[in-house]
């Protein structure tokens, strides 16, 4: 049917004991070119070796802040150190594309989004900021538009230059930033609608 790229997501896929085996099985299907995974990073440190052995091509880590107290406020969990360990281990391995998915929900300063952006400055990772969609519980959080966040980031780091090449298969548009090893991207379903161009099919359990 033309499907060549598969992303294992959830919920949190790494709580499934057979997740790494699933990645290996997907990679073995003729015609499948790339298998990636999206995780909250809590179990990544212990699962990274089997994921690499299975042939994972990329890891997306959902990480809305690097501040321990803010992380606890957003997730109701004290797991930021586990996420940090998984992220640093993945960066050190350097064998797959790493992307950080960050959803601004408290405001630029309150959530310390500049610290998250600096991950792309100090490491070869792409940091993508995803607009909170005002649906369900999403209506309870402050909405940060792409343009407002981009303006704040440019004030801190310099002019953003649009990247002509594609760094993924979805709606994210990326910018090069002076002195950054990685890129900054935006996925903006509210202020820059892309539904008409959607190329995703979600297969539920």
């Amino acid at each position: 049917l033309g499907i060549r790229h598969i992303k294992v997501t959830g919920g949190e896929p790494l709580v499934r004991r057979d997740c790494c085996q699933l990645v290996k099985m997907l990679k073995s299907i003729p015609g499948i070119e790339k298998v990636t995974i999206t995780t909250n990073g809590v179990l990544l440190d212990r699962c990274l070796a089997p994921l690499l052995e299975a042939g994972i091509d990329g890891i997306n880590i959902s990480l809305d802040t690097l501040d321990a107290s803010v992380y606890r406020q957003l997730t109701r969990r004290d797991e930021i150190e586990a996420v940090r360990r998984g992220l640093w281990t993945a960066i050190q391995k350097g064998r797959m594309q790493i992307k950080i998915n960050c959803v601004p929900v408290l405001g630029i300063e309150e959530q310390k989004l500049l610290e998250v952006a600096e991950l792309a400055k100090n490491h070869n990772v792409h940091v993508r900021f995803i607009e909170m969609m005002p649906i369900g519980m999403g209506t309870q959080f402050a909405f940060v538009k792409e343009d407002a966040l981009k303006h704040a980031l440019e004030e801190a780091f310099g002019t953003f230059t649009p990247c002509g090449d594609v760094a993924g298969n979805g709606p994210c548009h990326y910018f090069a930033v002076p002195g950054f090893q990685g890129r900054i991207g935006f996925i903006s379903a509210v202020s820059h609608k892309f539904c008409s161009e959607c190329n995703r099919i979600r297969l539920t359990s």
Side-chain angles (χ1 to χ4, degrees):
L1 298 177
I3 296 173
R4 302 184 304 277
H5 299 164
I6 295 178
K7 182 179 298 295
V8 179
T9 179
E12 172 50 45
L14 293 182
V15 301
R16 302 290 296 239
R17 285 177 293 179
D18 57 356
C19 182
C20 298
Q21 178 65 19
L22 174 61
V23 170
K24 186 175 182 178
M25 293 167 66
L26 291 171
K27 286 284 292 184
S28 69
I29 297 174
I32 296 299
E33 299 172 358
K34 183 178 293 187
V35 177
T36 60
I37 191 169
T38 295
T39 173
N40 62 22
V42 173
L43 300 175
L44 183 57
D45 191 40
R46 73 176 73 169
C47 294
L48 186 60
L51 282 173
L52 290 172
E53 183 179 349
I56 196 74
D57 296 295
I59 297 175
N60 292 10
I61 301 174
S62 299
L63 183 60
D64 297 327
T65 184
L66 290 171
D67 181 89
S69 62
V70 179
Y71 184 91
R72 188 183 311 111
Q73 177 184 352
L74 293 175
T75 66
R76 305 182 302 279
R77 299 288 187 275
D78 286 310
E79 298 285 3
I80 187 64
E81 290 307 317
V83 179
R84 285 179 181 272
R85 286 195 301 272
L87 173 59
W88 304 145
T89 302
I91 289 173
Q92 290 167 1
K93 296 296 181 182
R95 288 165 50 188
M96 83 298 289
Q97 177 63 67
I98 302 171
K99 298 176 182 178
I100 305 296
N101 292 338
C102 177
V103 180
V105 293
L106 299 177
I108 297 166
E109 294 299 327
E110 295 87 342
Q111 201 168 328
K112 303 183 180 180
L113 298 179
L114 297 184
E115 292 183 2
V116 180
E118 283 190 320
L119 289 171
K121 178 179 181 180
N122 300 322
H123 308 282
N124 184 26
V125 304
H126 299 334
V127 173
R128 297 111 58 81
F129 293 99
I130 305 173
E131 285 183 346
M132 169 69 79
M133 298 186 70
I135 299 172
M137 292 192 68
T139 59
Q140 301 177 22
F141 295 94
F143 174 63
V144 181
K145 284 188 176 181
E146 172 187 325
D147 294 346
L149 178 54
K150 180 171 174 287
H151 177 73
L153 293 173
E154 286 191 302
E155 282 193 331
F157 301 118
T159 303
F160 281 27
T161 303
C163 297
D165 55 336
V166 178
N169 308 299
C172 187
H173 52 281
Y174 288 93
F175 294 86
V177 186
F180 275 50
Q181 298 182 49
R183 298 169 177 169
I184 297 294
F186 297 93
I187 301 176
S188 308
V190 181
S191 64
H192 296 73
K193 293 179 173 59
F194 49 77
C195 291
S196 63
E197 302 171 6
C198 180
N199 64 352
R200 302 302 178 92
I201 297 174
R202 181 176 293 275
L203 181 66
T204 70
S205 58

